[in-house]
Amino acid sequence: MKYNIVSKEKIDVGVEDYSFRLTASAYNFSWYYNGSKLVLPINDNVVVLVEEVERNKLEASIYSRTREIDVSDVVEKTAWILGVNEDLSEFYEIWKNDSLLSRSYKVLRGIRIRGTSLWQSLLIGVCQQNASFKQGWRMLALLYKTLGKHVYIKGFGETIILPSPLDVARASEQQLRSCKLGYRSSIIRRLAQLFNRKELSDTIGAPIDEKELTRIKGIGPYTARLALVLSCRRYDKAPIDRWLKRIIVEAYKVSESDAEEYWHRIWGKYAGLATILATIALDAVVLTKALDRIRKGQTYPLLREELLTPLTLWRHI
DNA sequence: CGGAGGGGTACCTGGTCATC
DNA sequence: GATGACCAGGTACCCCTCCG
């Protein structure tokens, strides 16, 4: 089915320090961002193409497969995903003075984490389990390419809609295997089943509890907390993996057992956001290289196009 | 006694690095 | 260049202690 443009809307940026370019770049794929235009699938029928027409003036072209759509609802969801009204001034005060991340402030200031649906956040989380950044995002990219819906958007080109829980349920074993998910494929199947049975809700921004998620086999605290960060902008509990734990030990000279508590003490209710920021600031390089960079004080993204990093993922995959 | 919580370890899979 | 050993890293699970 064809997506036709139904409306062009202005998206108001309600904060001073917003960076569309950074927000669109971070952890994104080439079929969603091309350096200027950002594709945001809103629901089964609606896709939004966002562009910065002037500094902090965003324009959203709404594409739909159906005639009747609620434009104000789409605009509201687009604004929420982009975090254009998220005031982070308190967070900046900590960031500017933090010994690990302050050097990345100049480069990354203005960035927001793009909000996702719960389903999408769980897929991201499960693919990140026991995997390096590169490995995890390659898995996710394969999921998109193998099971997602390839769609052509005029003014952008080809994009891919994330496979739905139903798409995953219908996929063959072989198809899932070809996504190189390993043991994760059975977790993803189980998740898809929960969404299909409506035991999990995929409404954008709907609140969910960490405990509710960790009850699911295959979802532990890391994946649950990452899902809360991405799907609810809940930053109070941080998804701290061993990578970050070791980095905290090195950077702040605390013991491994105190690392998590220490991180929460520094960042308070923004601990989860700081976690994501740390991965971007250190280009998500593997632990040994990250520790090396901390020793050299290279705690900001290198911004080299040829590297595969959270900020340049869209140039490569 | 029973539940909560913490520690240790096995499991799994792709990445990395040393060795030939 | 091929091979194999080891590592990274999140979760599951078992066992232990603690506390009411």
Side-chain angles (χ1 to χ4, degrees):
Chain A
M1 209 186 286
K2 230 182 127 204
Y3 283 75
N4 294 308
I5 186 154
V6 289
S7 176
K8 277 201 178 187
E9 300 292 325
K10 195 171 156 267
I11 305 290
D12 295 315
V13 178
V15 286
E16 275 297 304
D17 54 69
Y18 193 77
S19 166
F20 174 72
R21 183 183 55 83
L22 287 170
T23 303
S25 303
Y27 288 108
N28 218 348
F29 291 122
S30 59
W31 51 90
Y32 284 149
Y33 186 57
N34 63 10
S36 61
K37 293 177 183 181
L38 171 72
V39 176
L40 298 176
I42 301 294
N43 58 39
D44 289 346
N45 298 314
V46 177
V47 168
V48 169
L49 189 58
V50 189
E51 199 177 356
E52 187 173 41
V53 284
E54 284 173 50
R55 165 146 172 79
N56 274 358
K57 289 222 156 66
L58 304 184
E59 189 178 74
S61 308
I62 303 175
Y63 291 77
S64 175
R65 301 196 295 176
T66 53
R67 234 175 247 161
E68 301 290 314
I69 69 152
D70 182 345
V71 170
S72 66
D73 179 61
V74 171
V75 168
E76 197 183 305
K77 282 186 171 137
T78 304
W80 181 82
I81 292 170
L82 292 170
V84 286
N85 296 311
E86 190 175 50
D87 177 12
L88 295 180
S89 41
E90 270 180 68
F91 175 69
Y92 284 172
E93 289 311 305
I94 314 174
W95 189 2
K96 273 189 269 187
N97 298 307
D98 176 64
S99 61
L100 175 62
L101 292 180
S102 60
R103 281 163 190 247
S104 69
Y105 177 76
K106 263 195 196 147
V107 188
L108 293 177
R109 186 197 153 127
I111 197 170
R112 297 295 186 285
I113 309 293
R114 291 188 316 284
T116 69
S117 67
L118 180 61
W119 164 244
Q120 190 178 358
S121 70
L122 286 169
L123 287 184
I124 294 170
V126 171
C127 286
Q128 287 300 312
Q129 290 177 3
N130 313 314
S132 69
F133 154 76
K134 288 180 193 176
Q135 193 185 334
W137 283 86
R138 278 194 193 115
M139 275 185 243
L140 192 64
L142 280 169
L143 255 176
Y144 270 93
K145 287 178 180 170
T146 313
L147 301 177
K149 202 167 1 170
H150 296 246
V151 167
Y152 184 82
I153 299 289
K154 210 176 162 200
F156 182 82
E158 194 185 83
T159 191
I160 312 176
I161 311 288
L162 179 76
S164 67
L166 217 54
D167 292 332
V168 168
R170 286 183 187 141
S172 68
E173 269 313 302
Q174 207 193 345
Q175 271 181 311
L176 267 189
R177 225 192 341 266
S178 70
C179 298
K180 309 217 184 267
L181 295 161
Y183 76 97
R184 302 168 194 81
S185 69
S186 60
I187 301 175
I188 288 173
R189 276 241 204 256
R190 195 172 304 121
L191 286 170
Q193 218 169 37
L194 289 172
F195 280 102
N196 288 332
R197 289 204 223 113
K198 310 274 177 219
E199 287 167 41
L200 279 176
S201 156
D202 204 25
T203 321
I204 277 190
I208 184 144
D209 200 51
E210 183 182 348
K211 278 213 176 102
E212 212 173 316
L213 292 174
T214 49
R215 267 202 292 270
I216 303 163
K217 198 175 154 86
I219 307 297
Y222 171 82
T223 310
R225 290 175 177 197
L226 184 60
L228 288 178
V229 169
L230 299 179
S231 73
C232 303
R233 301 197 117 83
R234 278 271 309 276
Y235 303 140
D236 49 326
K237 282 189 175 177
I240 295 178
D241 56 12
R242 291 192 202 191
W243 181 85
L244 183 58
K245 205 176 225 179
R246 283 291 310 281
I247 285 168
I248 296 170
V249 169
E250 177 75 20
Y252 303 102
K253 308 294 174 204
V254 292
S255 73
E256 196 131 330
S257 54
D258 293 340
E260 186 160 346
E261 200 206 318
Y262 193 79
W263 188 257
H264 280 97
R265 207 182 314 148
I266 297 172
W267 296 100
K269 61 178 180 177
Y270 292 106
L273 181 60
T275 302
I276 309 288
L277 206 63
T279 66
I280 299 173
L282 289 165
D283 288 324
V285 293
V286 294
L287 185 62
T288 47
K289 287 180 184 148
L291 294 175
D292 216 44
R293 277 178 58 162
I294 291 168
R295 281 177 216 123
K296 287 192 270 180
Q298 222 169 47
T299 48
Y300 45 86
L302 296 187
L303 300 176
R304 297 223 316 262
E305 289 177 19
E306 73 275 16
L307 300 174
L308 183 63
T309 74
L311 287 177
T312 62
L313 189 58
W314 61 273
R315 292 180 187 273
H316 298 270
I317 300 182

